[in-house]
Amino acid sequence: MSDRYTVISADCHAGADLLDYKPYLEKRYHDDFDVWAATYVNPHEDLLADAADRNWNSERRLSELEADGIVAEVIFPNTIPPFFPSSSLMTQPQTAEDLERRWAGLRAHNRWLADFCAAAPGRRAGVFQILLGDVEEAAKEIRWAAGAGLKGGLMLPGTPPGSGLPELYSRAYDPIWAACAELGVPVNHHAGSASPPLGDEPAARAVFMVETTWFSHRALWHLVFGGVFRRHPGLKLVLTEQGSGWIPGVLDMLDYYHGRLVSAATEADTAEAKFGAGLAEGMGEAPSRVWRDHCYVGASFMRPHEVPLRDRIGIDKIMWGSDYPHDEGTYPYTREGLRFAYSGVPHAEVAAMLGGNAARVYGFDLDVLDPVAARVGPTVAEIAEPLKEPPADATSPVFARGASVRVW
């Protein structure tokens, strides 16, 4: 047994500096890019600050992650791709021209990301982007990305109310699921990608905080009740940065409705029969069984009150994440965050949640990473030591009062 943990963050973010996307665009879009870039005003303060280069500065990133005890990362998008007004996670194209240009912008990001991952062999699993408005184009991009070595898999956009897109349970998306299942590409659904616009009222921010994870959770029951895993048994779904404590209760609730609808479908004279008609065969196994066979959670900065639920969630399902380089992430206090959450948890379980599960899901080679961890990883003894108080200048919500049952 090693005396150090091999820590893989299953939730980090990166992207190119704005102008650095241009070489990755097809030349026919270069003039349009110049016009767009000349007038674009970035709405995100963290992408204008001195620390913004953490998103694209490969050497700085490796150095800071190693200093924080992390040896590898799954990389979700962060910076703004060409032709998007703000985050690519939440903005729906409004016209056919929007769709074409934004596809070009996402392809540029994906190709930049492939090069960024190649700059640190074995240490980065890039999550590539698609749009849902052209399913066949999405399937082509999935095949390209798998061939380009983007092992982090697919970033599944949301279908928020008002988007005009088919719901995720629709069979219209079967070419996407089929390509991912065939190629072993994980499907990732990150928090913040499925919420509808809420306007600019002061209460909107609070309502967004309350609802955003719920809107992200919806992907689970859409795909389960839509029978996606039954039709595509090789599919893997990862729900990231949505917490993890909700999972046992939601699985119980989904199992209840699954059983109720299947039962109702066999009783034609009941008032509920119409809700279960045609579902029993399509849905397949109970949701808790689907979770066990197909699903994982990117449990960014797991909190102490979630850790006792690990057996009900599935220890082999939990993948810790630091959310680097976001302010709410654990950097530069990852070791303290891990002590806060995992002190007192058996070594083998901690090792699985901190890196072993992510290595299995995303295809990291531990023979490559373990020697790095032997140099920079947190020690078993260190993580076993309870944290007496949070760092005074820590910004991660993992340490926030009210974010955990543990009281300082």
Side-chain angles (χ1 to χ4, degrees), residues 115-149:
D115 282 352
F116 189 70
C117 291
R123 309 271 305 264
R124 295 171 178 157
V127 178
F128 63 90
Q129 299 185 76
I130 63 164
L131 291 168
L132 295 177
D134 187 331
V135 173
E136 295 303 326
E137 198 65 34
K140 290 179 184 177
E141 189 67 7
I142 291 167
R143 295 186 182 280
W144 175 86

mmCIF file of all heavy atoms in Angstrom, residues 115-149:
data_model
loop_
_atom_site.group_PDB
_atom_site.id
_atom_site.type_symbol
_atom_site.label_atom_id
_atom_site.label_comp_id
_atom_site.label_asym_id
_atom_site.label_seq_id
_atom_site.Cartn_x
_atom_site.Cartn_y
_atom_site.Cartn_z
ATOM 1 N N ASP A 115 -4.879 19.610 -28.308
ATOM 2 C CA ASP A 115 -3.476 20.007 -28.215
ATOM 3 C C ASP A 115 -3.073 20.273 -26.767
ATOM 4 O O ASP A 115 -1.954 19.935 -26.348
ATOM 5 C CB ASP A 115 -3.232 21.258 -29.061
ATOM 6 C CG ASP A 115 -3.125 20.948 -30.549
ATOM 7 O OD1 ASP A 115 -3.080 19.752 -30.918
ATOM 8 O OD2 ASP A 115 -3.095 21.904 -31.344
ATOM 9 N N PHE A 116 -3.959 20.882 -25.995
ATOM 10 C CA PHE A 116 -3.660 21.194 -24.600
ATOM 11 C C PHE A 116 -3.464 19.909 -23.801
ATOM 12 O O PHE A 116 -2.552 19.824 -22.964
ATOM 13 C CB PHE A 116 -4.794 22.032 -24.014
ATOM 14 C CG PHE A 116 -4.512 22.606 -22.656
ATOM 15 C CD1 PHE A 116 -3.572 23.611 -22.504
ATOM 16 C CD2 PHE A 116 -5.205 22.169 -21.539
ATOM 17 C CE1 PHE A 116 -3.308 24.168 -21.254
ATOM 18 C CE2 PHE A 116 -4.953 22.703 -20.288
ATOM 19 C CZ PHE A 116 -4.002 23.710 -20.142
ATOM 20 N N CYS A 117 -4.279 18.914 -24.054
ATOM 21 C CA CYS A 117 -4.125 17.633 -23.358
ATOM 22 C C CYS A 117 -2.836 16.931 -23.793
ATOM 23 O O CYS A 117 -2.150 16.320 -22.966
ATOM 24 C CB CYS A 117 -5.334 16.737 -23.618
ATOM 25 S SG CYS A 117 -6.855 17.315 -22.833
ATOM 26 N N ALA A 118 -2.512 17.029 -25.071
ATOM 27 C CA ALA A 118 -1.299 16.386 -25.580
ATOM 28 C C ALA A 118 -0.036 17.002 -24.985
ATOM 29 O O ALA A 118 1.019 16.356 -24.958
ATOM 30 C CB ALA A 118 -1.260 16.474 -27.103
ATOM 31 N N ALA A 119 -0.152 18.242 -24.478
ATOM 32 C CA ALA A 119 1.012 18.905 -23.885
ATOM 33 C C ALA A 119 1.387 18.310 -22.533
ATOM 34 O O ALA A 119 2.483 18.595 -22.021
ATOM 35 C CB ALA A 119 0.731 20.406 -23.734
ATOM 36 N N ALA A 120 0.498 17.501 -21.945
ATOM 37 C CA ALA A 120 0.780 16.842 -20.663
ATOM 38 C C ALA A 120 0.320 15.400 -20.783
ATOM 39 O O ALA A 120 -0.730 15.027 -20.244
ATOM 40 C CB ALA A 120 0.072 17.552 -19.523
ATOM 41 N N PRO A 121 1.072 14.564 -21.482
ATOM 42 C CA PRO A 121 0.617 13.199 -21.785
ATOM 43 C C PRO A 121 0.227 12.420 -20.535
ATOM 44 O O PRO A 121 0.963 12.378 -19.546
ATOM 45 C CB PRO A 121 1.844 12.575 -22.475
ATOM 46 C CG PRO A 121 2.604 13.734 -23.033
ATOM 47 C CD PRO A 121 2.394 14.849 -22.043
ATOM 48 N N GLY A 122 -0.965 11.831 -20.593
ATOM 49 C CA GLY A 122 -1.441 10.997 -19.505
ATOM 50 C C GLY A 122 -1.992 11.734 -18.310
ATOM 51 O O GLY A 122 -2.503 11.109 -17.371
ATOM 52 N N ARG A 123 -1.926 13.071 -18.335
ATOM 53 C CA ARG A 123 -2.297 13.860 -17.156
ATOM 54 C C ARG A 123 -3.630 14.596 -17.338
ATOM 55 O O ARG A 123 -4.173 15.132 -16.370
ATOM 56 C CB ARG A 123 -1.207 14.904 -16.845
ATOM 57 C CG ARG A 123 0.218 14.353 -16.767
ATOM 58 C CD ARG A 123 0.633 13.880 -15.440
ATOM 59 N NE ARG A 123 0.506 14.808 -14.352
ATOM 60 C CZ ARG A 123 1.493 15.592 -13.888
ATOM 61 N NH1 ARG A 123 2.692 15.578 -14.454
ATOM 62 N NH2 ARG A 123 1.294 16.361 -12.836
ATOM 63 N N ARG A 124 -4.153 14.640 -18.565
ATOM 64 C CA ARG A 124 -5.373 15.407 -18.830
ATOM 65 C C ARG A 124 -6.350 14.600 -19.672
ATOM 66 O O ARG A 124 -5.961 14.001 -20.679
ATOM 67 C CB ARG A 124 -5.036 16.718 -19.564
ATOM 68 C CG ARG A 124 -4.211 17.682 -18.744
ATOM 69 C CD ARG A 124 -3.704 18.861 -19.555
ATOM 70 N NE ARG A 124 -2.948 19.771 -18.698
ATOM 71 C CZ ARG A 124 -2.036 20.633 -19.136
ATOM 72 N NH1 ARG A 124 -1.768 20.720 -20.442
ATOM 73 N NH2 ARG A 124 -1.404 21.426 -18.282
ATOM 74 N N ALA A 125 -7.608 14.618 -19.258
ATOM 75 C CA ALA A 125 -8.688 14.015 -20.029
ATOM 76 C C ALA A 125 -9.654 15.128 -20.410
ATOM 77 O O ALA A 125 -10.387 15.639 -19.562
ATOM 78 C CB ALA A 125 -9.394 12.931 -19.218
ATOM 79 N N GLY A 126 -9.621 15.533 -21.665
ATOM 80 C CA GLY A 126 -10.418 16.664 -22.117
ATOM 81 C C GLY A 126 -11.854 16.272 -22.420
ATOM 82 O O GLY A 126 -12.116 15.249 -23.039
ATOM 83 N N VAL A 127 -12.785 17.120 -21.977
ATOM 84 C CA VAL A 127 -14.215 16.932 -22.242
ATOM 85 C C VAL A 127 -14.597 17.836 -23.412
ATOM 86 O O VAL A 127 -14.509 19.062 -23.310
ATOM 87 C CB VAL A 127 -15.055 17.278 -20.999
ATOM 88 C CG1 VAL A 127 -16.550 17.126 -21.303
ATOM 89 C CG2 VAL A 127 -14.649 16.396 -19.815
ATOM 90 N N PHE A 128 -15.002 17.235 -24.513
ATOM 91 C CA PHE A 128 -15.293 18.005 -25.719
ATOM 92 C C PHE A 128 -16.759 18.426 -25.760
ATOM 93 O O PHE A 128 -17.615 17.856 -25.091
ATOM 94 C CB PHE A 128 -14.917 17.218 -26.978
ATOM 95 C CG PHE A 128 -15.689 15.941 -27.184
ATOM 96 C CD1 PHE A 128 -16.880 15.937 -27.909
ATOM 97 C CD2 PHE A 128 -15.224 14.738 -26.660
ATOM 98 C CE1 PHE A 128 -17.587 14.759 -28.106
ATOM 99 C CE2 PHE A 128 -15.928 13.554 -26.858
ATOM 100 C CZ PHE A 128 -17.115 13.562 -27.572
ATOM 101 N N GLN A 129 -17.019 19.436 -26.599
ATOM 102 C CA GLN A 129 -18.346 20.040 -26.651
ATOM 103 C C GLN A 129 -19.067 19.735 -27.962
ATOM 104 O O GLN A 129 -18.437 19.592 -29.010
ATOM 105 C CB GLN A 129 -18.247 21.554 -26.486
ATOM 106 C CG GLN A 129 -17.634 21.981 -25.160
ATOM 107 C CD GLN A 129 -17.653 23.476 -24.988
ATOM 108 O OE1 GLN A 129 -18.689 24.072 -24.697
ATOM 109 N NE2 GLN A 129 -16.503 24.106 -25.151
ATOM 110 N N ILE A 130 -20.394 19.682 -27.865
ATOM 111 C CA ILE A 130 -21.255 19.562 -29.039
ATOM 112 C C ILE A 130 -22.454 20.475 -28.847
ATOM 113 O O ILE A 130 -22.654 21.052 -27.781
ATOM 114 C CB ILE A 130 -21.764 18.112 -29.260
ATOM 115 C CG1 ILE A 130 -22.643 17.681 -28.073
ATOM 116 C CG2 ILE A 130 -20.613 17.145 -29.490
ATOM 117 C CD1 ILE A 130 -23.500 16.462 -28.353
ATOM 118 N N LEU A 131 -23.258 20.588 -29.899
ATOM 119 C CA LEU A 131 -24.578 21.188 -29.821
ATOM 120 C C LEU A 131 -25.606 20.117 -30.177
ATOM 121 O O LEU A 131 -25.307 19.178 -30.918
ATOM 122 C CB LEU A 131 -24.697 22.372 -30.786
ATOM 123 C CG LEU A 131 -23.863 23.611 -30.431
ATOM 124 C CD1 LEU A 131 -23.834 24.590 -31.595
ATOM 125 C CD2 LEU A 131 -24.416 24.287 -29.185
ATOM 126 N N LEU A 132 -26.812 20.269 -29.656
ATOM 127 C CA LEU A 132 -27.843 19.267 -29.880
ATOM 128 C C LEU A 132 -28.751 19.589 -31.065
ATOM 129 O O LEU A 132 -29.608 18.790 -31.414
ATOM 130 C CB LEU A 132 -28.699 19.111 -28.615
ATOM 131 C CG LEU A 132 -27.975 18.556 -27.394
ATOM 132 C CD1 LEU A 132 -28.914 18.527 -26.193
ATOM 133 C CD2 LEU A 132 -27.421 17.157 -27.669
ATOM 134 N N GLY A 133 -28.566 20.757 -31.687
ATOM 135 C CA GLY A 133 -29.447 21.152 -32.774
ATOM 136 C C GLY A 133 -29.204 20.422 -34.079
ATOM 137 O O GLY A 133 -30.010 20.534 -35.007
ATOM 138 N N ASP A 134 -28.094 19.699 -34.189
ATOM 139 C CA ASP A 134 -27.790 18.902 -35.391
ATOM 140 C C ASP A 134 -27.172 17.596 -34.896
ATOM 141 O O ASP A 134 -25.975 17.517 -34.637
ATOM 142 C CB ASP A 134 -26.837 19.661 -36.307
ATOM 143 C CG ASP A 134 -26.611 18.953 -37.642
ATOM 144 O OD1 ASP A 134 -26.706 17.706 -37.684
ATOM 145 O OD2 ASP A 134 -26.329 19.642 -38.642
ATOM 146 N N VAL A 135 -28.013 16.588 -34.772
ATOM 147 C CA VAL A 135 -27.592 15.339 -34.135
ATOM 148 C C VAL A 135 -26.553 14.606 -34.975
ATOM 149 O O VAL A 135 -25.596 14.032 -34.438
ATOM 150 C CB VAL A 135 -28.826 14.452 -33.865
ATOM 151 C CG1 VAL A 135 -28.405 13.081 -33.361
ATOM 152 C CG2 VAL A 135 -29.736 15.122 -32.839
ATOM 153 N N GLU A 136 -26.711 14.602 -36.269
ATOM 154 C CA GLU A 136 -25.733 13.901 -37.115
ATOM 155 C C GLU A 136 -24.373 14.587 -37.042
ATOM 156 O O GLU A 136 -23.334 13.918 -37.022
ATOM 157 C CB GLU A 136 -26.241 13.847 -38.564
ATOM 158 C CG GLU A 136 -27.509 13.026 -38.749
ATOM 159 C CD GLU A 136 -27.344 11.593 -38.268
ATOM 160 O OE1 GLU A 136 -26.232 11.027 -38.401
ATOM 161 O OE2 GLU A 136 -28.331 11.033 -37.745
ATOM 162 N N GLU A 137 -24.364 15.902 -36.994
ATOM 163 C CA GLU A 137 -23.093 16.631 -36.851
ATOM 164 C C GLU A 137 -22.460 16.311 -35.500
ATOM 165 O O GLU A 137 -21.239 16.168 -35.383
ATOM 166 C CB GLU A 137 -23.344 18.134 -36.986
ATOM 167 C CG GLU A 137 -22.106 18.944 -37.292
ATOM 168 C CD GLU A 137 -21.490 18.623 -38.646
ATOM 169 O OE1 GLU A 137 -22.236 18.303 -39.598
ATOM 170 O OE2 GLU A 137 -20.239 18.695 -38.746
ATOM 171 N N ALA A 138 -23.309 16.188 -34.483
ATOM 172 C CA ALA A 138 -22.797 15.830 -33.158
ATOM 173 C C ALA A 138 -22.138 14.457 -33.175
ATOM 174 O O ALA A 138 -21.070 14.258 -32.585
ATOM 175 C CB ALA A 138 -23.937 15.866 -32.136
ATOM 176 N N ALA A 139 -22.762 13.498 -33.849
ATOM 177 C CA ALA A 139 -22.195 12.148 -33.916
ATOM 178 C C ALA A 139 -20.844 12.167 -34.631
ATOM 179 O O ALA A 139 -19.904 11.453 -34.231
ATOM 180 C CB ALA A 139 -23.160 11.210 -34.622
ATOM 181 N N LYS A 140 -20.715 12.991 -35.666
ATOM 182 C CA LYS A 140 -19.427 13.114 -36.374
ATOM 183 C C LYS A 140 -18.352 13.668 -35.442
ATOM 184 O O LYS A 140 -17.201 13.212 -35.444
ATOM 185 C CB LYS A 140 -19.580 14.021 -37.595
ATOM 186 C CG LYS A 140 -20.407 13.442 -38.728
ATOM 187 C CD LYS A 140 -20.498 14.449 -39.868
ATOM 188 C CE LYS A 140 -21.402 13.954 -40.981
ATOM 189 N NZ LYS A 140 -21.554 14.974 -42.060
ATOM 190 N N GLU A 141 -18.734 14.682 -34.647
ATOM 191 C CA GLU A 141 -17.752 15.294 -33.744
ATOM 192 C C GLU A 141 -17.341 14.319 -32.648
ATOM 193 O O GLU A 141 -16.177 14.310 -32.219
ATOM 194 C CB GLU A 141 -18.320 16.579 -33.140
ATOM 195 C CG GLU A 141 -17.317 17.416 -32.367
ATOM 196 C CD GLU A 141 -16.221 18.037 -33.241
ATOM 197 O OE1 GLU A 141 -16.295 17.937 -34.491
ATOM 198 O OE2 GLU A 141 -15.273 18.617 -32.665
ATOM 199 N N ILE A 142 -18.264 13.490 -32.201
ATOM 200 C CA ILE A 142 -17.934 12.465 -31.211
ATOM 201 C C ILE A 142 -16.866 11.530 -31.766
ATOM 202 O O ILE A 142 -15.885 11.203 -31.078
ATOM 203 C CB ILE A 142 -19.196 11.677 -30.811
ATOM 204 C CG1 ILE A 142 -20.147 12.578 -30.020
ATOM 205 C CG2 ILE A 142 -18.829 10.439 -29.993
ATOM 206 C CD1 ILE A 142 -21.545 12.006 -29.851
ATOM 207 N N ARG A 143 -17.031 11.119 -32.991
ATOM 208 C CA ARG A 143 -16.055 10.208 -33.603
ATOM 209 C C ARG A 143 -14.711 10.897 -33.785
ATOM 210 O O ARG A 143 -13.649 10.290 -33.559
ATOM 211 C CB ARG A 143 -16.603 9.667 -34.921
ATOM 212 C CG ARG A 143 -17.839 8.794 -34.710
ATOM 213 C CD ARG A 143 -18.332 8.128 -35.988
ATOM 214 N NE ARG A 143 -19.534 7.363 -35.696
ATOM 215 C CZ ARG A 143 -19.543 6.153 -35.144
ATOM 216 N NH1 ARG A 143 -18.396 5.573 -34.829
ATOM 217 N NH2 ARG A 143 -20.679 5.527 -34.902
ATOM 218 N N TRP A 144 -14.743 12.173 -34.184
ATOM 219 C CA TRP A 144 -13.472 12.893 -34.310
ATOM 220 C C TRP A 144 -12.780 12.985 -32.955
ATOM 221 O O TRP A 144 -11.574 12.728 -32.832
ATOM 222 C CB TRP A 144 -13.702 14.315 -34.852
ATOM 223 C CG TRP A 144 -12.418 15.085 -34.854
ATOM 224 C CD1 TRP A 144 -11.467 15.095 -35.828
ATOM 225 C CD2 TRP A 144 -11.887 15.870 -33.767
ATOM 226 N NE1 TRP A 144 -10.387 15.853 -35.430
ATOM 227 C CE2 TRP A 144 -10.624 16.332 -34.174
ATOM 228 C CE3 TRP A 144 -12.369 16.216 -32.518
ATOM 229 C CZ2 TRP A 144 -9.829 17.144 -33.356
ATOM 230 C CZ3 TRP A 144 -11.588 17.018 -31.700
ATOM 231 C CH2 TRP A 144 -10.330 17.483 -32.118
ATOM 232 N N ALA A 145 -13.527 13.370 -31.915
ATOM 233 C CA ALA A 145 -12.937 13.589 -30.605
ATOM 234 C C ALA A 145 -12.358 12.306 -30.018
ATOM 235 O O ALA A 145 -11.286 12.317 -29.406
ATOM 236 C CB ALA A 145 -13.986 14.179 -29.650
ATOM 237 N N ALA A 146 -13.073 11.200 -30.206
ATOM 238 C CA ALA A 146 -12.551 9.924 -29.710
ATOM 239 C C ALA A 146 -11.244 9.584 -30.402
ATOM 240 O O ALA A 146 -10.292 9.112 -29.763
ATOM 241 C CB ALA A 146 -13.580 8.823 -29.927
ATOM 242 N N GLY A 147 -11.166 9.851 -31.704
ATOM 243 C CA GLY A 147 -9.930 9.594 -32.440
ATOM 244 C C GLY A 147 -8.807 10.539 -32.065
ATOM 245 O O GLY A 147 -7.629 10.192 -32.196
ATOM 246 N N ALA A 148 -9.168 11.741 -31.584
ATOM 247 C CA ALA A 148 -8.167 12.740 -31.211
ATOM 248 C C ALA A 148 -7.662 12.550 -29.781
ATOM 249 O O ALA A 148 -6.810 13.315 -29.322
ATOM 250 C CB ALA A 148 -8.755 14.145 -31.365
ATOM 251 N N GLY A 149 -8.201 11.546 -29.081
ATOM 252 C CA GLY A 149 -7.702 11.243 -27.751
ATOM 253 C C GLY A 149 -8.295 12.063 -26.628
ATOM 254 O O GLY A 149 -7.715 12.140 -25.537
#
